[in-house]
Amino acid sequence: MGFLTEGVEVDCDAGGVPVTVRWRGRGYRVAQDPVRWYERRAWWAEDARLPKDRGIGAVDQQMWRVQVQLTVRSELLTLELVHTLDTGRWRLLAATSASGAQVVRCA
């Protein structure tokens, strides 16, 4: 049993920082400097057993808060993203508009 999330595609710069996000068929550009931190994922809830040969990337995941826009005149959306390091998978946890209205909450 894990969290309900929505998959997204993320393009990153050479330093691994998101620059574009594709979500629900639309391409958003990152408009502000993203914020990154790390959290331990609940692997015990997602996997029956963590294989011995999987490294620290199986336990830690990158959490990102990015502000994106469709165009330079569009409203900013704040996306909360999870990047699972061992799989490279990106997931959306929540999207909030600049006015504070919650667009979607996946988890």
Side-chain angles (χ1 to χ4, degrees):
M1 175 183 255
F3 288 108
L4 205 53
T5 59
E6 190 172 335
V8 293
E9 294 178 33
V10 178
D11 293 322
C12 297
D13 65 14
V17 177
V19 292
T20 61
V21 177
R22 281 181 302 289
W23 173 45
R24 295 183 175 175
R26 301 177 100 180
Y28 295 85
R29 71 173 187 81
V30 175
Q32 303 290 326
D33 288 336
V35 176
R36 173 179 52 184
W37 68 97
Y38 291 86
E39 287 185 4
R40 294 282 162 138
R41 73 178 183 90
W43 61 266
W44 57 90
E46 299 169 16
D47 300 322
R49 180 175 171 86
L50 187 64
K52 186 177 181 180
D53 61 342
R54 287 177 65 190
I56 195 162
V59 177
D60 290 330
Q61 57 192 6
Q62 289 180 347
M63 308 297 292
W64 289 89
R65 183 167 293 125
V66 298
Q67 290 189 307
V68 298
Q69 292 177 294
L70 280 172
T71 68
V72 292
R73 295 183 184 199
S74 298
E75 178 180 34
L76 283 173
L77 288 177
T78 300
L79 305 180
E80 293 180 28
L81 304 172
V82 176
H83 183 211
T84 305
L85 299 174
D86 67 331
T87 64
R89 189 171 139 203
W90 288 87
R91 296 175 290 144
L92 174 70
L93 295 176
T96 308
S97 70
S99 62
Q102 196 168 71
V103 177
V104 66
R105 183 81 182 160
C106 299

